[in-house]
Amino acid sequence: MPEIVFDENTRSWLIRTAATSYALRLAEDDSPAHVYWGPALTPAQLSDVLPGSGSRWDSFNDPDEGLDELAADGGTRHWTPALQVRFADGTRALEWRYLSHDIDGGELRVRFRDRHYPLRITLGYRVPAGTDVIERWTELTHDGTDDPIEVVRADSASWVVPLRPDYRISHVTGRWAAESQLLREPVPHGETTFGSRRGITSHHANPWVMLDDGEATERHGEVYSAALAWSGSWRITTTRSSNGRVTVTGGFGQDGVVHRLAPGDTLTTPVFAGLYTDGGFGAASRAWHAYTLGHVLPHPGELRPVLYNSWEATGFDVTETGQRALAEKAAALGVELFVMDDGWFGARSGDHAGLGDWQVNREKFPDGLKPLISEVRRLGMKFGIWVEPEMVNPDSGLYRARPDWVLHHPHRTRSELRNQLVLNFARPDVAEWAFGWLDALVGEHEIDFLKWDMNRPFSEAGWPADSDPDRLWVEHTRAVYAIMDRLRDGHPGLRIEACSGGGGRIDLGVMARTDQVWTSDNTDALDRLVIQHGYGQVYPPRAMSAWVTDDPNFITQRSTPLRFRFHVAMAGVLGIGGDIVKWSEEDLGYAREQIALYKEIRPVVQHGSLYRLVPPTTDGVSALQYVAADGGRAVVFVFRQAAHFPTSERPVRLDGLDPAARYRDEDTGKVWHGAALLAHGLFPGLPAGDFASVVIRLTKL
């Protein structure tokens, strides 16, 4: 169990996780100051680490700058502020006064108040049992009776990284259909901000970073990482000074958006979690995966089903007859969940109309959805359906009736993307309307699975009728969370997939309310190797939806073998997304075999520990390995992207095995010594040619 200890003499708190320690203290002026983050220390050992206040050596540098537990704007510190407030009289600086603290098991709350103004600040810390993750957040309360307080910036936490000779940052960048492109590069001096101003997590960046000294590898080295649990606009800023100090501060919000606190109001920030590990990037990833499985996902112990999705087969041309034909083929393959995508409602024959009119299209489904759903269930599958609740087409009955429901500014163009506008879920009436039709849809049809999509970012994000329109940036996301929470509470069997034009809404915040995420609209197997590699740095395979689709690929027009496509998708939550009515009997037979194989290895893939043996590149060989929690089974995926010149096959060294044990290859019957697999590796036996792949199953004897 985590342990939190307070020392009155030094006015310091020591937070002990499963294998690490974190410490903070009160400075002489009562401001919260960072002390330590790293390998485990006892309270006695921490006394050797506690610093004194630094002495100023010139008039331009504060010696304690960059050591604030939550860097606040004010005084002589000019570090990147995590907290900026503006009081009614124009005062901006914050001065801390310590009030009290509470320790409740693995949770710590430290309470402060401004020395003059009616603002209370609570710093929250929580260690989920069995992890080294420290969840942090901030609460700001206006405890006065007069004018509102403007909160210009309210980050959840500042993380101070220990002094090192050098620093490197790992993060992902990308765009639609090219999400989660992993970058590792030196930390620049000054301020570097990663973020999204789009109202969603975004395809272009993701709210996590990892920092190391530049020498960490997949298996070795200290890694400091932080991940934000938020699905709206966000920012994470690294600051590196000339004296070598580095901090990471992050939270929701963006420049120019102000939170207004009226008397009695409390603003609570999302969790910005931190993690220290000393086993390289692989250990950091496995620790984040274990945390997400154990403390974030709603039903972590479940095995996610093999699904079929109709989008790439039918597009908007959805009919009951066509869906029945696909369902019959899917069931014969061994699919467990049939998902009907866009095109089933309103005047939805393309992306130009119908969003907002969530009534079944009776031309396509003369007797409603129930006959199709009954047939899907008769075939032995669960039924899922695509929805996009936050959007509306201008060509819809809803928009014609309620044009004020969308984000907009007076006298400004309402920019359309994909012929649609964004509904303002911060409005209680809009959120209640959305919950109402979703609740009725799920309840009336006993829907098992919702694919919740969002196909465009915010624009003209105004709310003319409201006195505090900036709050929509936060309240919209919170309303999405609340609707998902209410649906799950009212329909315990419902499962949800988060989607935003692919991977535009992937983060720990949405994962707390969904069961899986759509990783990218790009299902090209070669591209997916890279996308899935970046995704898996923080997020677990258990939530990574991956489809096998038609050849050539719908987006890239690249051709790859069906075997390669299956094996890439089997490294996550397997789905089928091709027009299987047109597949050959040979391909259908192979698909049945691979789906059966996936069901056999699924417990290891979805619930085991991931080891990235060889990272993907544009050519060459890459490899992944999953090891069951009890160590009894392992699954190895090996891929050859391209073979430019004749070369002899090289062994792939495995990881996470017991060196003293022996392991049987379930396909060849060969028995290996664990020590040999770890030290030397095995020859995977890849087929000849480009886009070759193999799945190796090992059982501990």
Side-chain angles (χ1 to χ4, degrees):
M1 289 294 291
E3 178 187 24
I4 301 174
V5 179
F6 177 63
D7 185 336
E8 269 191 62
N9 294 324
T10 58
R11 301 206 306 170
S12 64
W13 292 267
L14 175 63
I15 301 172
R16 303 184 72 185
T17 72
T20 73
S21 291
Y22 185 93
L24 64 147
R25 67 184 176 94
L26 296 175
E28 292 178 3
D29 63 358
D30 266 9
S31 62
H34 176 75
V35 173
Y36 176 80
W37 188 20
L41 293 179
T42 66
Q45 293 164 342
L46 180 66
S47 63
D48 292 341
V49 178
L50 286 166
S53 185
S55 58
R56 186 181 292 277
W57 57 274
D58 65 28
S59 61
F60 292 95
N61 297 278
D62 188 316
D64 295 321
E65 197 168 47
L67 287 174
D68 293 291
E69 190 67 1
L70 189 74
D73 197 8
T76 63
R77 296 180 188 163
H78 301 90
W79 207 261
T80 306
L83 178 59
Q84 290 177 296
V85 296
R86 184 164 50 231
F87 300 103
D89 63 2
T91 299
R92 295 177 64 94
L94 181 76
E95 293 189 358
W96 302 82
R97 179 165 64 87
Y98 169 67
L99 297 178
S100 64
H101 74 271
D102 289 328
I103 298 172
D104 182 7
E107 184 169 313
L108 167 67
R109 290 173 177 261
V110 188
R111 298 181 179 85
F112 302 85
R113 194 179 192 275
D114 185 84
R115 291 186 179 275
H116 176 76
Y117 294 96
L119 179 66
R120 283 191 286 115
I121 309 106
T122 300
L123 304 184
Y125 301 78
R126 181 171 49 239
V127 179
T131 76
D132 291 315
V133 172
I134 302 170
E135 298 178 340
R136 291 179 58 188
W137 69 97
T138 301
E139 297 171 7
L140 304 173
T141 300
H142 188 326
D143 65 358
T145 58
D146 298 324
D147 299 312
I149 298 170
E150 291 187 341
V151 181
V152 179
R153 181 166 183 163
D155 284 355
S156 301
S158 298
W159 296 97
V160 180
V161 181
L163 289 170
R164 295 292 185 264
D166 203 358
Y167 299 94
R168 177 175 55 179
I169 189 167
S170 301
H171 63 105
V172 291
T173 185
R175 62 186 186 280
W176 174 79
E179 301 89 334
S180 299
Q181 307 294 301
L182 178 64
L183 293 177
R184 290 202 165 109
E185 50 198 357
V187 176
H189 284 76
E191 296 181 10
T192 303
T193 297
F194 309 91
S196 167
R197 299 186 181 93
R198 300 168 184 266
I200 53 175
T201 320
S202 90
H203 307 75
H204 307 77
N206 199 268
W208 64 263
V209 294
M210 294 184 181
L211 290 152
D212 73 290
D213 63 3
E215 297 186 359
T217 66
E218 188 68 21
R219 300 187 183 199
H220 305 287
E222 294 184 308
V223 177
Y224 294 83
S225 51
L228 180 68
W230 184 247
S231 309
S233 293
W234 58 273
R235 59 190 160 194
I236 294 174
T237 302
T238 62
T239 304
R240 182 174 183 178
S241 70
S242 59
N243 65 11
R245 190 166 289 153
V246 169
T247 64
V248 178
T249 186
F252 57 14
Q254 64 195 69
D255 294 345
V257 173
V258 175
H259 311 275
R260 293 177 73 249
L261 284 181
D265 284 352
T266 295
L267 176 67
T268 302
T269 70
V271 164
F272 190 27
L275 171 70
Y276 163 79
T277 50
D278 63 359
F281 298 113
S285 296
R286 288 187 290 277
W288 281 115
H289 297 171
Y291 162 73
T292 306
L293 286 169
H295 302 279
V296 178
L297 289 169
H299 300 282
E302 290 184 350
L303 290 174
R304 300 306 307 137
V306 177
L307 68 77
Y308 177 81
N309 182 284
S310 68
W311 172 248
E312 291 198 19
T314 62
F316 298 102
D317 188 18
V318 172
T319 64
E320 181 178 333
T321 301
Q323 296 296 299
R324 280 175 176 265
L326 289 168
E328 183 177 355
K329 290 287 187 180
L333 295 179
V335 166
E336 298 159 310
L337 167 64
F338 182 86
V339 182
M340 180 169 63
D341 212 280
D342 200 350
W344 58 269
F345 56 93
R348 195 69 170 165
S349 59
D351 65 12
H352 61 282
L355 280 176
D357 300 338
W358 295 99
Q359 300 85 33
V360 177
N361 184 311
R362 291 290 175 155
E363 292 183 7
K364 299 181 178 185
F365 298 90
D367 298 312
L369 297 180
K370 289 187 177 179
L372 171 64
I373 296 173
S374 295
E375 175 64 8
V376 167
R377 295 209 169 107
R378 186 192 69 79
L379 290 168
M381 298 180 292
K382 293 185 176 182
F383 182 81
I385 198 165
W386 178 96
V387 293
E388 192 170 7
E390 298 156 79
M391 298 293 150
V392 65
N393 287 125
D395 186 2
S396 68
L398 176 67
Y399 185 76
R400 285 186 281 273
R402 297 308 304 260
D404 56 317
W405 275 14
V406 302
L407 302 180
H408 69 283
H409 289 300
H411 317 300
R412 290 291 176 263
T413 301
R414 300 186 181 193
S415 301
E416 295 179 24
L417 295 171
R418 203 173 185 251
N419 302 304
Q420 59 196 55
L421 300 170
V422 183
L423 291 167
N424 182 3
F425 269 38
R427 289 181 55 140
D429 53 351
V430 178
E432 194 58 35
W433 162 84
F435 171 76
W437 71 259
L438 283 164
D439 183 54
L441 174 70
V442 173
E444 179 182 349
H445 300 92
E446 298 181 343
I447 300 292
D448 299 298
F449 181 90
L450 285 179
K451 180 180 178 181
W452 183 307
D453 207 345
M454 184 184 186
N455 274 305
R456 60 154 294 176
F458 289 7
S459 64
E460 293 85 45
W463 186 358
D466 196 77
S467 61
D468 182 19
D470 275 3
R471 67 190 177 97
L472 71 86
W473 289 94
V474 169
E475 294 306 320
H476 181 103
T477 299
R478 285 183 169 160
V480 170
Y481 288 170
I483 292 170
M484 288 182 175
D485 291 343
R486 289 175 68 188
L487 287 172
R488 300 186 75 105
D489 287 345
H491 308 279
L494 179 66
R495 302 295 180 260
I496 302 175
E497 178 178 272
C499 176
S500 180
R505 190 181 261 164
I506 297 176
D507 56 80
L508 294 175
V510 81
M511 282 188 176
R513 295 155 176 91
T514 58
D515 302 274
Q516 59 196 62
V517 294
W518 181 224
T519 323
S520 177
D521 281 349
N522 185 350
T523 59
D524 180 293
L526 182 62
D527 288 351
R528 269 300 186 106
L529 283 176
V530 176
I531 292 169
Q532 294 174 184
H533 179 68
Y535 164 95
Q537 300 296 311
V538 169
Y539 307 118
R542 157 64 176 73
M544 185 180 74
S545 187
W547 296 354
V548 177
T549 55
D550 288 336
D551 188 65
N553 183 262
F554 178 71
I555 290 177
T556 67
Q557 296 301 304
R558 180 187 286 120
S559 290
T560 54
L562 185 59
R563 173 189 177 111
F564 190 78
R565 282 176 273 149
F566 257 102
H567 290 172
V568 171
M570 287 161 62
V573 177
L574 177 63
I576 311 298
D579 190 354
I580 51 178
V581 170
K582 297 179 180 177
W583 283 18
S584 68
E585 285 302 318
E586 181 182 358
D587 284 351
L588 291 171
Y590 184 77
R592 279 192 292 272
E593 293 174 4
Q594 292 304 299
I595 290 172
L597 172 62
Y598 178 74
K599 289 178 180 178
E600 193 238 309
I601 65 174
R602 173 170 53 183
V604 183
V605 172
Q606 293 189 13
H607 295 286
S609 297
L610 169 63
Y611 294 85
R612 295 182 293 262
L613 305 178
V614 185
T617 57
T618 54
D619 54 16
V621 171
S622 63
L624 299 169
Q625 178 189 345
Y626 300 84
V627 179
D630 64 1
R633 299 174 66 196
V635 179
V636 182
F637 292 85
V638 185
F639 307 96
R640 182 195 297 118
Q641 288 82 274
H644 292 303
F645 302 100
T647 57
S648 58
E649 189 172 61
R650 298 178 180 178
V652 175
R653 290 179 63 188
L654 305 192
D655 205 342
L657 303 180
D658 181 355
R662 293 191 303 158
Y663 293 84
R664 181 180 62 244
D665 184 321
E666 293 298 334
D667 291 299
T668 68
K670 180 175 176 56
V671 176
W672 303 83
H673 289 278
L677 292 173
L678 294 169
H680 176 264
L682 54 76
F683 291 96
L686 285 165
D690 296 346
F691 309 121
S693 58
V694 66
V695 178
I696 301 167
R697 298 170 296 150
L698 300 173
T699 301
K700 185 178 180 179
L701 299 179

